[in-house]
Amino acid sequence: MTDSKKSQLQATFKSQDTEEWLDIHFTRPIGLLWAKAFNAFDIHPNVITILSIFLGAGAGLCFFSSELWVNVLGIFLLIWANLYDSADGQLARMTGKKTRWGRILDGFAGDVWFVMIYLAVIYRCYAEYGWQSGIYAFGLCFVAGILCHAKQSQLADYYRNIHLFFLKGEAGSELDSSAKLREEFKQLSWETDFFWKLFLNSYTGYTLSQEKMTPKFQALKAHLAKRYPDGVLPQALRDEFRAGSRPLMPLANFLTFNARAITLYISILVGHIWLYPVAEITLFVIVFLRMRHRHEDLCERLMQKY
């Protein structure tokens, strides 16, 4: 890849700090090609996100089958969906077509993919081992999906946006406040803004959940807002936060798509799809707790210093 192409590719990253190896060397380069192709036809990034929803849902349907070739097709479709998920963000950054709708829709896409995947796990356990195993699988997937996966993804997304906030400032981050979102929600009308109000209600709950998991960061954020009301933070503080947060980005990335998908693919290919939710409850929870503990410690340390 030439230097100019590398520069063009890096311009579609959120930041070098928050990108992971597999995305840098596989997902983003191919996603950029898709982004350019869609841009040539003036297709909006949100349309790409919707296409990714159908591809991811199709992948989940393929995992209902125990046929190896159908499962391989599902893996291919999920990889394709993830490439589109990358392309929509890259296109948005290329063209400046970044919208709140797009951010919310992007999160919704991932939810659809994994709901279908968890349903496939339940059905496969029922079909292959009997109705009792299906009941156990339902409980396993409920814990893995609602209590583990959802919280892990929320916190990983939040930490990456916090890092971007200290790295690039408010303009370079998608760090939101539930209080501000609530005020915006109150000012909207159900008659004229029904769908946006509905989405905003869901997004406010999502943001509130992120805030509840990060009490020490919320205290630091409130303190800095009071001490620096103009929003201009000292460069030394920004640099120190970035230095402490950057080693946590691999943990945050682990809790997003790639590590989950690889775990899922291995579980499917070895013929034991139930291993995927088990990994969610064990391995991924350990990473989640470690990441949260270290980030909260960082915030407490900076709170005392500044």
Side-chain angles (χ1 to χ4, degrees):
M1 186 180 292
T2 64
D3 289 342
S4 62
K5 288 183 178 180
K6 282 183 181 179
S7 298
Q8 187 180 42
L9 175 62
Q10 290 173 359
T12 66
F13 294 172
K14 289 185 177 180
S15 81
Q16 197 73 34
D17 285 2
T18 55
E19 295 289 339
E20 58 182 311
W21 186 90
L22 188 59
D23 284 340
I24 291 172
H25 296 282
F26 175 73
T27 309
R28 300 297 186 229
I30 299 176
L32 180 59
L33 295 177
W34 278 114
K36 288 180 176 179
F38 283 116
N39 191 42
F41 293 95
D42 197 27
I43 294 174
H44 196 278
N46 291 353
V47 175
I48 308 175
T49 307
I50 293 170
L51 292 174
S52 80
I53 292 174
F54 286 103
L55 287 168
L61 287 174
C62 288
F63 298 146
F64 276 75
S65 173
S66 57
E67 292 287 339
L68 180 60
W69 74 268
V70 180
N71 291 166
V72 171
L73 175 61
I75 291 171
F76 171 76
L77 289 176
L78 192 56
I79 293 171
W80 191 358
N82 187 50
L83 291 173
Y84 273 14
D85 183 59
S86 177
D88 61 11
Q90 290 173 280
L91 180 58
R93 287 185 284 276
M94 283 169 53
T95 60
K97 296 177 181 178
K98 294 172 67 175
T99 65
R100 252 230 217 102
W101 271 107
R103 174 163 166 72
I104 295 171
L105 194 61
D106 194 58
F108 176 72
D111 291 342
V112 172
W113 303 354
F114 281 96
V115 165
M116 291 299 296
I117 288 166
Y118 287 122
L119 289 175
V121 173
I122 296 167
Y123 176 79
R124 287 277 293 274
C125 288
Y126 162 75
E128 295 172 16
Y129 304 110
W131 67 271
Q132 284 185 320
S133 294
I135 293 173
Y136 294 147
F138 175 83
L140 186 67
C141 288
F142 179 84
V143 172
I146 303 298
L147 303 182
C148 298
H149 183 159
K151 297 298 182 183
Q152 293 161 11
S153 297
Q154 287 172 8
L155 195 61
D157 177 59
Y158 198 51
Y159 282 167
R160 290 198 295 188
N161 277 307
I162 291 171
H163 187 87
L164 290 169
F165 174 78
F166 280 89
L167 176 64
K168 296 184 173 183
E170 190 172 349
S173 168
E174 295 172 335
L175 190 63
D176 282 309
S177 160
S178 62
K180 290 181 180 179
L181 291 171
R182 277 198 212 95
E183 287 303 314
E184 184 178 347
F185 178 83
K186 290 176 183 177
Q187 293 171 9
L188 297 175
S189 166
W190 282 110
E191 292 182 2
T192 58
D193 307 293
F194 179 82
F195 288 107
W196 177 240
K197 197 171 172 75
L198 190 67
F199 269 95
L200 196 61
N201 183 59
S202 174
Y203 185 52
T204 302
Y206 176 87
T207 304
L208 183 60
S209 177
Q210 292 175 319
E211 292 171 349
K212 285 180 177 179
M213 288 188 283
T214 54
K216 291 179 181 177
F217 171 71
Q218 300 310 317
L220 175 64
K221 183 183 176 186
H223 173 69
L224 294 177
K226 185 177 180 180
R227 185 168 180 183
Y228 306 102
D230 59 358
V232 180
L233 302 180
Q235 189 61 45
L237 168 60
R238 290 157 58 96
D239 291 343
E240 192 168 351
F241 190 96
R242 181 189 176 195
S245 173
R246 187 164 48 191
L248 303 183
M249 290 303 99
L251 300 180
N253 289 332
F254 184 86
L255 294 175
T256 52
F257 178 80
N258 288 330
R260 294 184 192 283
I262 292 169
T263 304
L264 173 67
Y265 301 156
I266 292 171
S267 301
I268 289 171
L269 294 175
V270 300
H272 298 295
I273 195 172
W274 54 268
L275 288 172
Y276 170 67
V278 170
E280 286 274 14
I281 295 171
T282 54
L283 175 61
F284 285 83
V285 166
I286 292 170
V287 174
F288 167 82
L289 293 174
R290 177 63 174 162
M291 177 183 71
R292 182 177 180 272
H293 174 73
R294 290 177 61 184
H295 198 278
E296 288 286 275
D297 276 357
L298 170 65
C299 293
E300 184 175 32
R301 213 164 51 240
L302 293 176
M303 178 77 168
Q304 292 172 355
K305 183 172 181 179
Y306 288 91

